Amino acid sequence: MSTLSQPTKPLTLPTSTAISSCSSLTHMKQTHAQILKLSHSHHSQNSLLLKLLLTSFSLPTTTPSSLYYALSIFSQIPAPPSHVSNKFIRALSRSHRPKHALKVFLKMLNEGLTIDRFSFPPILKAIARAEGLLEGMQVHGLGTKLGFGSDPFVQTGLVGMYGACGRILDARLMFDKMSYRDIVPWSVMIDGYFQNGLFDDVLNLFEEMKMSNVEPDEMVLSKILSACGRAGNLSYGEAVHEFIIDNNVALDAHLQSTLITMYVNCGCMDMAKELFDKVLLKNLVVSTAMVSGYSRAGQVEDARLIFDQMVEKDLICWSAMISGYAENNHPQEALKLFNEMQVCGMKPDKVTMLSVISACAHLGVLDQAKRIHLYIDKNAFGGDLRVNNAIIDMYAKCGSLESAREVFERMRRRNVISWTSMINAFAIHGDARNALIFFNKMKDESIDPNGVTFIGVLYACSHAGLVDEGREIFASMINEYNIPSKHEHYGCMVDLFGRANLLREALELVETMPFAPNVVIWGSLMAACRVHGEIELAEFAAKQLLQLDPDHDGALVLLSNIYAKDKRWQDVGELRKSMKERGILKERACSRIEMNNKVYEFLTADTSHKQTDQIYEKLNEVISELKPAGYVPDIHSALVDLEDEEKREVILWHSEKLALCYGLISSKKDSCIRIVKNLRVCEDCHNFIKLVSKVYAREIVIRDRTRFHHYKDGVCSCKDYW
């Protein structure tokens, strides 16, 4: 017996309830198809499509497909009611494609649909977000023509539109025309000033607002606090904080975060921490602000403590911590954290990579630089101009002028920073000839040098003894390019004259500067006096410097060394006793060398390395090998009051000698040994390394505090002029 099939239920038009229950784009499309297929009346079809359109507003408009679908429904409805069109414009103004709101507005105009006072605020908001000034001005004209020019809702929309499009004076003109202003137009005008970076105007308008007896809400107060932070106006920020307390304003999460961020941006970390500790649920934004604030204040340990306590971390937070390490002389920690970030599956962006490149440049390790460059190319960052400029600087500071130049030559587009980076690279490597060649090439390609470019060129002249060229370039900067001279330029010129033993000319330049000399200027003069044994002038320069900064450790140490070189041991003792009593410490000499992808650090007379015995054995062997070549320890480089034999030991145990000996026992015989030292290489070490390069037939590159030394065949690239 055959089975009878169940009768098929006939399809019916979807009800209003069914349409309202649509929760996905797929569901809506199915319902839409039913309406088109089953509706035989235009009136009922349009009515259902209107309901479908209204339902589409509740769907997320973050995807282009849902947005375009809503637009397609709207296009099928003839003469939609103005309240529906207005709602659609409002929904589009909040979407990721606000310009599409103009299509709806134009349909209303073209089909003669009613445009009322409620049509203007959403379309103006959409135009503001799209920064469509021309369209905004046209809508302004239409509003005036239709008689809505004095409507407060329309006027408020125009204030916001002009502010967002950068026409802040037009925004203020409209604001001042308003006869009625509640909290909303004040908030919009304040936001306009803020978005245009006019933070003082934000604060002035806030004062006007208070005098107008309009009570600020949490949104306005947040914007005022943000303006204080951006302007670094701590006193006004504190006054706003006091206003919040006095008026019992509820501190919601957003206002609390803004208040903390204001104190962070104003450098008041104690108050920021006090407020931060009171926050029960610490969000990502405020925690990242604390990490950045502590990093800017040089308190990287405190920054890391907050970073480690964060449950969730986004790219901005990782980048802030990496940047904090990079900018506070902790390059190894920055690179280590970068590796941890990748292990966590977080992909870096350009901002992160610029901090990583900076850390690598500071570390000065060439193999690490090559690994970073490989990562950049592999992850498609290599086409960015800023990244390429940073890579040039990185390679230069890691000792590979050739790699820096290769990157420069491969760049399809170069700006003034590209040329300046390359000129600076030649300068720190002592290649003044190429620095000047590139300076002239740059001008030939119609790229005007800036103030930083001239610092690089003058630095190159200074370290090569090119006095006449330096004079000419300094004059051209002022007379030909109209670039105002700054302390850095005069510092280079003082250094240029000082190194060339033109000390009186250097002093005359200092005394005739158009502004007061700073610590850098006096420091340059002091350093030159030390080299040329001008004790009296050195003391004068030191006195001037210490008046500006009584606790300047570099000046005190340099003055102590000048006294020591002149064997004025009593003056040395008194100066060092004074430094000790005031808690001023001399920076410890430290040398770094990379071997087998690991960076090793050496201090003077270091015994912490696991191969210490072999290193000192190698040092004794090297000394024996160098003696026949004429090496005698220069005990005058030991600026301490000791017996000659003790001075000899102090000199021989300098950090760069230990790092060099470790390099000799750990590297291949034909490889280049690269060392980074945090202080200036002393005369004895300089001669020692020159002889090592000859006797052991090794190429050695040392980066000290001011420049690179390339040693080969017993000769240094600095030509003993450093």
Side-chain angles (χ1 to χ4, degrees):
M1 186 176 177
S2 61
T3 304
L4 294 172
S5 59
Q6 294 289 328
T8 304
K9 189 176 180 179
L11 291 171
T12 59
L13 275 171
T15 64
S16 296
T17 305
I19 292 172
S20 300
S21 66
C22 291
S23 57
S24 69
L25 184 60
T26 303
H27 193 182
M28 285 196 70
K29 286 181 176 180
Q30 291 170 349
T31 305
H32 190 185
Q34 282 183 270
I35 292 170
L36 296 177
K37 184 176 181 181
L38 300 174
S39 177
H40 301 294
S41 161
H42 288 299
H43 176 74
S44 64
Q45 185 181 93
N46 290 343
S47 176
L48 291 171
L49 286 175
L50 276 171
K51 289 172 184 174
L52 191 66
L53 178 65
L54 291 170
T55 302
S56 73
F57 299 163
S58 63
L59 291 181
T61 55
T62 53
T63 59
S65 53
S66 61
L67 186 67
Y68 292 134
Y69 183 67
L71 284 167
S72 72
I73 296 174
F74 183 78
S75 67
Q76 294 171 27
I77 304 172
S82 60
H83 75 276
V84 174
S85 300
N86 291 342
K87 279 187 178 180
F88 193 26
I89 292 172
R90 188 175 297 110
L92 290 169
S93 73
R94 296 167 180 164
S95 74
H96 65 291
R97 299 280 176 86
K99 266 201 168 182
H100 286 308
L102 280 168
K103 292 182 179 179
V104 177
F105 192 74
L106 286 172
K107 179 181 171 76
M108 294 174 70
L109 285 174
N110 294 333
E111 296 188 6
L113 304 180
T114 302
I115 292 176
D116 55 26
R117 61 196 288 260
F118 300 110
S119 306
F120 285 93
I123 191 62
L124 288 168
K125 180 181 178 181
I127 291 168
R129 288 192 59 214
E131 297 183 9
L133 177 61
L134 181 60
E135 294 88 344
M137 293 172 74
Q138 290 171 341
V139 171
H140 184 181
L142 178 65
T144 304
K145 183 179 178 182
L146 295 177
F148 300 124
S150 58
D151 184 279
F153 291 103
V154 177
Q155 288 177 321
T156 301
L158 288 167
V159 171
M161 182 275 293
Y162 280 121
C165 294
R167 296 287 285 266
I168 198 66
L169 293 177
D170 291 321
R172 183 59 195 255
L173 192 64
M174 179 56 63
F175 177 80
D176 289 337
K177 281 181 181 178
M178 295 180 70
S179 57
Y180 173 75
R181 294 187 298 221
D182 61 8
I183 184 67
V184 178
W186 285 96
S187 178
V188 171
M189 191 65 235
I190 285 170
D191 186 63
Y193 278 135
F194 184 88
Q195 297 302 331
N196 284 274
L198 302 170
F199 305 120
D200 289 338
D201 290 308
V202 170
L203 306 184
N204 291 334
L205 188 61
F206 182 58
E207 290 299 318
E208 288 183 44
M209 179 181 174
K210 289 191 292 183
M211 287 189 291
S212 299
N213 296 319
V214 178
E215 286 293 319
D217 60 9
E218 289 81 357
M219 290 296 293
V220 169
L221 290 168
S222 291
K223 193 64 69 176
I224 301 302
L225 288 168
S226 296
C228 292
R230 295 284 289 274
N233 193 333
L234 177 60
S235 60
Y236 201 98
E238 289 174 328
V240 176
H241 187 185
E242 191 175 326
F243 176 90
I244 291 169
I245 295 168
D246 292 345
N247 290 272
N248 296 315
V249 178
L251 269 178
D252 61 16
H254 178 68
L255 187 56
Q256 202 170 32
S257 294
T258 309
L259 190 58
I260 293 169
T261 304
M262 181 276 293
Y263 280 115
V264 166
N265 290 337
C266 290
C268 188
M269 292 307 299
D270 290 342
M271 193 64 200
K273 185 178 188 304
E274 184 180 320
L275 292 169
F276 181 75
D277 289 342
K278 292 176 182 176
V279 179
L280 296 177
L281 296 173
K282 297 173 171 61
N283 63 42
L284 187 61
V285 173
V286 74
S287 296
T288 303
M290 290 295 290
V291 169
S292 298
Y294 274 130
S295 296
R296 284 198 297 270
Q299 298 171 253
V300 284
E301 295 82 5
D302 293 317
R304 185 58 190 262
L305 187 64
I306 290 175
F307 178 83
D308 288 339
Q309 290 171 351
M310 294 172 68
V311 177
E312 61 168 327
K313 302 181 182 79
D314 64 0
L315 177 58
I316 296 172
C317 180
W318 281 97
S319 296
M321 193 66 246
I322 291 170
S323 174
Y325 278 134
E327 292 172 7
N328 284 282
N329 197 20
H330 295 283
Q332 287 178 276
E333 287 84 348
L335 295 171
K336 182 181 177 183
L337 191 63
F338 176 61
N339 291 332
E340 288 178 27
M341 173 182 156
Q342 294 174 78
V343 170
C344 291
M346 186 70 67
K347 290 188 177 295
D349 64 3
K350 182 177 70 176
V351 174
T352 318
M353 292 314 304
L354 287 170
S355 293
V356 170
I357 294 167
S358 173
C360 197
H362 189 82
L363 190 63
V365 177
L366 182 59
D367 288 342
Q368 181 71 266
K370 289 177 178 177
R371 288 192 291 271
I372 295 297
H373 191 188
L374 189 65
Y375 180 91
I376 286 167
D377 286 344
K378 187 177 178 182
N379 291 273
F381 292 109
D384 184 85
L385 181 61
R386 286 182 64 193
V387 170
N388 278 321
N389 289 342
I391 293 172
I392 292 171
D393 181 66
M394 175 184 73
Y395 273 130
K397 289 177 179 174
C398 289
S400 181
L401 198 53
E402 299 79 11
S403 298
R405 190 163 183 173
E406 282 175 16
V407 173
F408 178 86
E409 298 294 352
R410 286 203 308 267
M411 289 172 70
R412 293 180 180 178
R413 186 166 69 91
R414 305 183 189 114
N415 61 7
V416 64
I417 299 172
S418 315
W419 286 93
T420 299
S421 297
M422 201 62 235
I423 289 167
N424 286 338
F426 288 124
I428 62 173
H429 283 267
D431 190 350
R433 186 181 69 85
N434 270 315
L436 292 174
I437 288 172
F438 267 61
F439 180 60
N440 290 322
K441 274 186 182 179
M442 173 186 183
K443 293 186 290 183
D444 290 342
E445 295 196 13
S446 300
I447 296 178
D448 287 337
N450 59 22
V452 181
T453 314
F454 277 99
I455 292 171
V457 181
L458 291 172
Y459 186 92
C461 293
S462 171
H463 283 260
L466 303 177
V467 176
D468 292 337
E469 290 86 343
R471 278 199 188 101
E472 185 180 326
I473 289 165
F474 183 72
S476 75
M477 178 185 79
I478 299 167
N479 301 327
E480 185 179 347
Y481 292 96
N482 296 315
I483 295 174
S485 55
K486 294 184 178 180
H487 281 101
E488 293 84 354
H489 302 110
Y490 276 95
C492 288
M493 291 304 293
V494 170
D495 193 53
L496 173 68
F497 292 142
R499 288 175 186 276
N501 201 12
L502 300 171
L503 295 172
R504 295 299 159 187
E505 194 167 345
L507 179 60
E508 184 181 333
L509 183 67
V510 172
E511 292 174 337
T512 56
M513 283 169 54
F515 35 71
N518 62 6
V519 293
V520 175
I521 302 291
W522 291 117
S524 295
L525 188 58
M526 272 187 76
C529 292
R530 175 188 175 276
V531 171
H532 299 294
E534 283 283 347
I535 308 298
E536 186 180 341
L537 185 55
E539 287 182 312
F540 171 75
K543 182 180 178 182
Q544 303 304 315
L545 193 159
L546 294 170
Q547 281 181 350
L548 297 172
D549 185 358
D551 295 332
H552 194 288
D553 59 334
L556 292 166
V557 169
L558 187 55
L559 185 59
S560 171
N561 291 345
I562 290 169
Y563 287 150
K565 197 170 184 181
D566 200 40
K567 297 184 179 180
R568 290 168 55 175
W569 301 117
Q570 184 175 347
D571 290 329
V572 171
E574 289 176 0
L575 192 56
R576 291 184 178 174
K577 181 183 177 184
S578 172
M579 288 174 65
K580 187 175 181 181
E581 289 171 350
R582 290 153 62 189
I584 302 170
L585 301 175
K586 177 185 177 182
E587 185 179 358
R588 296 186 70 184
C590 172
S591 295
R592 290 194 297 261
I593 184 171
E594 185 187 36
M595 285 291 158
N596 303 317
N597 297 331
K598 187 175 179 182
V599 177
Y600 297 92
E601 290 189 349
F602 292 89
L603 302 175
T604 298
D606 202 330
T607 57
S608 62
H609 199 282
K610 63 182 180 181
Q611 289 180 264
T612 293
D613 291 342
Q614 295 99 306
I615 291 168
Y616 280 93
E617 284 174 15
K618 187 67 177 179
L619 177 60
N620 290 331
E621 175 205 302
V622 171
I623 294 167
S624 298
E625 291 287 337
L626 296 189
K627 279 182 180 177
Y631 175 67
V632 177
D634 180 8
I635 59 174
H636 297 294
S637 293
L639 303 175
V640 285
D641 188 13
L642 298 171
E643 296 298 325
D644 286 356
E645 185 55 34
E646 292 175 300
K647 285 185 179 182
R648 181 180 177 277
E649 289 182 347
V650 169
I651 285 294
L652 292 175
W653 294 343
H654 275 189
S655 63
E656 56 266 59
K657 289 189 178 81
L658 299 179
L660 175 58
C661 289
Y662 178 64
L664 289 171
I665 63 176
S666 304
S667 62
K668 295 178 181 177
K669 289 186 177 181
D670 58 346
S671 65
C672 176
I673 297 174
R674 299 176 184 273
I675 297 168
V676 177
K677 187 179 180 184
N678 63 332
L679 302 177
R680 182 180 184 271
V681 173
C682 76
E683 288 86 346
D684 182 77
C685 287
H686 192 257
N687 292 328
F688 181 91
I689 297 167
K690 280 199 300 182
L691 289 171
V692 168
S693 73
K694 181 180 181 181
V695 172
Y696 285 83
R698 298 294 294 267
E699 186 178 351
I700 304 162
V701 177
I702 306 276
R703 186 184 95 184
D704 71 7
R705 172 166 278 180
T706 58
R707 62 167 297 154
F708 276 88
H709 299 265
H710 294 257
Y711 302 91
K712 189 175 182 181
D713 299 327
V715 177
C716 179
S717 59
C718 75
K719 300 180 177 64
D720 300 337
Y721 191 87
W722 90 106

